Amino acid sequence: MQKYDILKIRTHQLLNPAVFGDLTSKRWDQFFSLLIILNVIAVTLESVDNIHNEYKFLFRNFEVFSICIFSLEYILRLWVSPIKYASLGFSPIKARLKYMLSVNGIIDLLSILPFYLQ
């Protein structure tokens, strides 16, 4: 197996719920969950004018950081989606379309799209 294939398989493992004993995958799950929670808190705090005005630079930087992480995650999920659908015999293109049109794929896209459209 080539290093490229190993990297792709490992990336697929990291992006999906951690398997017992896989500490790296567990840490990724925790980081990603924390990032989502912090984004909810940031959006809530940012809706208060006083807080928004005082910390708008911090909110903007956190938003850009988060969008970079969420965008990378979306791209990586597209890249590894053929692994997920390999057992169904999907071609790489069909597997990627399957992910993009899935509930999770649509939610992932909708979470980053407003940033790019503004």
Side-chain angles (χ1 to χ4, degrees):
M1 192 177 289
Q2 295 179 346
K3 288 182 182 182
Y4 174 83
D5 295 325
I6 294 169
L7 177 63
K8 194 171 188 176
I9 290 168
R10 184 63 181 140
T11 302
H12 178 264
Q13 292 169 342
L14 290 173
L15 291 174
N16 289 292
V19 176
F20 182 77
D22 187 348
L23 188 60
T24 305
S25 185
K26 182 178 179 182
R27 293 291 180 247
W28 172 254
D29 292 347
Q30 291 170 338
F31 167 74
F32 212 75
S33 296
L34 179 64
L35 186 60
I36 291 168
I37 291 167
L38 290 175
N39 270 275
V40 170
I41 293 169
V43 168
T44 304
L45 290 175
E46 199 174 14
S47 69
V48 178
D49 287 336
N50 303 8
I51 297 172
H52 170 74
N53 292 336
E54 189 164 339
Y55 298 103
K56 61 183 161 192
F57 181 74
L58 182 64
F59 284 125
R60 181 65 179 168
N61 286 339
F62 182 66
E63 179 185 21
V64 170
F65 170 77
S66 297
I67 289 297
C68 287
I69 299 296
F70 293 142
S71 298
L72 177 64
E73 188 245 358
Y74 184 77
I75 290 166
L76 290 173
R77 286 191 182 276
L78 283 174
W79 179 51
V80 302
S81 59
I83 294 171
K84 181 175 183 176
Y85 299 107
S87 63
L88 299 175
F90 286 10
S91 69
I93 291 173
K94 190 171 181 181
R96 289 182 177 105
L97 285 172
K98 179 91 170 145
Y99 167 71
M100 290 170 69
L101 297 174
S102 70
V103 173
N104 288 341
I106 292 170
I107 290 170
D108 288 348
L109 183 61
L110 289 176
S111 71
I112 61 174
L113 202 55
F115 177 84
Y116 293 113
L117 293 178
Q118 61 179 341

